[in-house]
């Protein structure tokens, strides 16, 4: 690889590689030491093409979700099954991994700017800006940049566009799927909201069992399925359809809390 080879967004790959290595080492303990990351379905990553893949996931923190996916992707491609043990996998990271994020989030400080260099495809949200609801036109350059990233590699997107659970799926994700026809792989995560702050930078609680389930690619008829059909398919795939909501009785909630406390005792690392 030439010393200053760049990706389609002009980022120097050698610099990107070192940033991923450094932040990978720094963040590894968040999923192996302070908390535990349970992984299912990593075998579904190994047969994917090197490019043209779109990962869709529910969203719980700004950055910890994506960081965990970087770990899981690279560990799986290095031959590990449902495990991120032995961080040696980070030495040769997959460099054409991107994630879609709000531009205002990625400009909010020095760390987000560094994270952006590591793989962000920054977009301007059409429905929210500076904490306020807005309505504005989609920028064609944002769509083309996502398409450029899909053509170059693997792209992670959070189709709800927010960390709030069970919010509607943004139709833009379905339009992107119909336009660029990527392999669409659903991911369902849990436990990140309990273990990290909203940004995903600070550890809020230790000894929490985080989970990541990587499902098989969706079967999509790109030509004939409507945007509404794909939106519904996404809702079910990332388990954010309203049918997944359940109102618990007080006794059910107490039993669930007791069960969670017992499980957390078994997950403690400092005993």
């Amino acid at each position: 690889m030439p010393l200053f080879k760049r990706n389609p967004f002009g980022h120097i790959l050698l610099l990107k590689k070192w940033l991923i290595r450094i932040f990978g080492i720094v963040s590894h303990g968040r999923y192996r030491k302070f908390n535990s990351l349970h992984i299912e379905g990593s075998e579904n990553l190994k047969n994917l093409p090197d490019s043209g893949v779109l990962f869709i996931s529910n969203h719980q923190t700004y950055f910890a979700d994506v960081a965990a996916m970087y770990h899981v992707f690279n560990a799986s491609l290095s031959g590990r099954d449902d495990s991120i043990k032995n961080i040696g996998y980070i030495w040769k990271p997959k460099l054409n991994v991107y994630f879609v994020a709000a531009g205002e989030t990625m400009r909010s400080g020095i760390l987000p700017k560094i994270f952006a260099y590591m793989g962000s495809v920054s977009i301007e949200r059409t429905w929210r800006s500076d904490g306020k609801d807005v309505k504005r036109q989609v920028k064609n350059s944002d769509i083309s940049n996502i398409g450029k990233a899909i053509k170059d590699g693997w792209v992670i997107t959070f189709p709800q566009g927010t960390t709030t659970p069970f919010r509607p799926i943004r139709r833009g994700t379905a339009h992107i799927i119909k336009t660029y026809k990527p392999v669409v792989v659903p991911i369902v995560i849990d436990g990140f909201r309990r273990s990290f702050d909203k940004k995903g930078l600070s550890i809020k609680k230790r000894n929490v069992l985080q989970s990541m389930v990587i499902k098989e690619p969706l079967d999509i008829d790109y030509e004939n399925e409507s945007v509404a059909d794909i939106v519904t398919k996404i809702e079910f795939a990332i388990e954010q359809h309203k049918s997944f909501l359940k109102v618990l009785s007080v006794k059910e909630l107490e039993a669930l809390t007791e069960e969670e406390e017992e499980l957390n005792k078994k997950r403690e690392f400092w005993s």
Side-chain angles (χ1 to χ4, degrees):
M1 175 175 78
L3 186 60
F4 294 111
K5 185 177 181 181
R6 298 171 183 265
N7 67 14
F9 297 95
H11 299 150
I12 299 171
L13 293 181
L14 181 62
L15 176 56
K16 180 174 179 176
K17 178 185 287 187
W18 274 102
L19 288 173
I20 293 174
R21 286 172 176 172
I22 292 168
F23 282 92
I25 292 170
V26 170
S27 63
H28 189 248
R30 293 166 172 252
Y31 312 106
R32 286 282 301 156
K33 184 178 180 182
F34 302 113
N35 294 294
S36 176
L37 178 60
H38 176 75
I39 306 161
E40 293 181 24
S42 65
E43 69 276 4
N44 292 322
L45 299 170
K46 297 177 182 179
N47 296 321
L48 295 175
D50 184 58
S51 60
V53 180
L54 181 68
F55 294 90
I56 54 172
S57 176
N58 61 314
H59 201 18
Q60 296 197 341
T61 72
Y62 291 173
F63 301 115
D65 309 1
V66 170
M69 291 177 194
Y70 267 70
H71 278 288
V72 172
F73 291 177
N74 285 293
S76 177
L77 294 176
S78 295
R80 291 161 176 77
D81 294 324
D82 294 340
S83 172
I84 58 171
K85 291 180 180 178
N86 304 322
I87 198 175
Y89 61 78
I90 207 67
W91 188 250
K92 292 183 178 180
K94 182 175 173 62
L95 296 178
N96 56 342
V97 176
Y98 304 94
F99 59 95
V100 179
E104 63 184 80
T105 300
M106 304 315 296
R107 295 189 296 265
S108 62
I110 184 63
L111 273 179
K113 289 178 180 178
I114 293 173
F115 296 155
Y117 199 94
M118 291 163 59
S120 167
V121 181
S122 298
I123 63 170
E124 299 304 320
R125 292 184 295 186
T126 59
W127 66 93
R128 192 95 174 150
S129 179
D130 296 323
K132 298 179 181 178
D133 292 333
V134 298
K135 286 186 178 180
R136 55 190 176 196
Q137 293 294 319
V138 175
K139 293 177 65 175
N140 290 332
S141 59
D142 289 348
I143 302 300
S144 63
N145 281 338
I146 295 173
K148 187 189 300 184
I150 290 173
K151 290 178 181 179
D152 185 60
W154 292 4
V155 178
I156 302 163
T157 189
F158 303 98
Q160 291 169 288
T162 176
T163 57
T164 304
F166 296 102
R167 294 302 297 271
I169 301 297
R170 298 291 165 182
R171 294 170 63 87
T173 302
H175 283 290
I176 288 168
I177 291 170
K178 284 183 67 69
T179 301
Y180 296 103
K181 301 175 176 59
V183 177
V184 181
V185 181
I187 296 178
V188 178
I189 61 171
D190 194 23
F192 292 82
R193 183 178 289 109
R194 294 190 297 275
S195 52
F196 298 105
D197 67 348
K198 187 173 183 178
K199 289 186 176 181
L201 298 176
S202 300
I203 296 173
K204 184 169 66 176
K205 187 175 182 180
R206 301 189 181 201
N207 304 323
V208 172
L209 180 63
Q210 304 155 342
S211 66
M212 182 182 300
V213 178
I214 302 154
K215 299 184 177 181
E216 294 183 358
L218 294 180
D219 182 14
I220 297 175
D221 185 341
Y222 302 100
E223 302 299 334
N224 297 315
E225 286 193 50
S226 67
V227 166
D229 289 338
I230 295 175
V231 164
T232 300
K233 190 168 285 188
I234 291 173
E235 286 179 331
F236 279 102
I238 64 173
E239 300 180 9
Q240 291 296 296
H241 189 268
K242 297 295 184 183
S243 62
F244 286 92
L245 280 169
K246 180 184 178 182
V247 179
L248 300 178
S249 67
V250 174
K251 288 185 178 180
E252 286 177 320
L253 185 59
E254 289 175 349
L256 188 63
T257 302
E258 289 177 3
E259 181 182 352
E260 181 69 17
E261 288 176 353
E262 287 299 318
L263 284 172
N264 277 331
K265 289 178 181 178
K266 296 178 182 178
R267 299 166 187 150
E268 290 182 356
F269 292 88
W270 307 109
S271 59

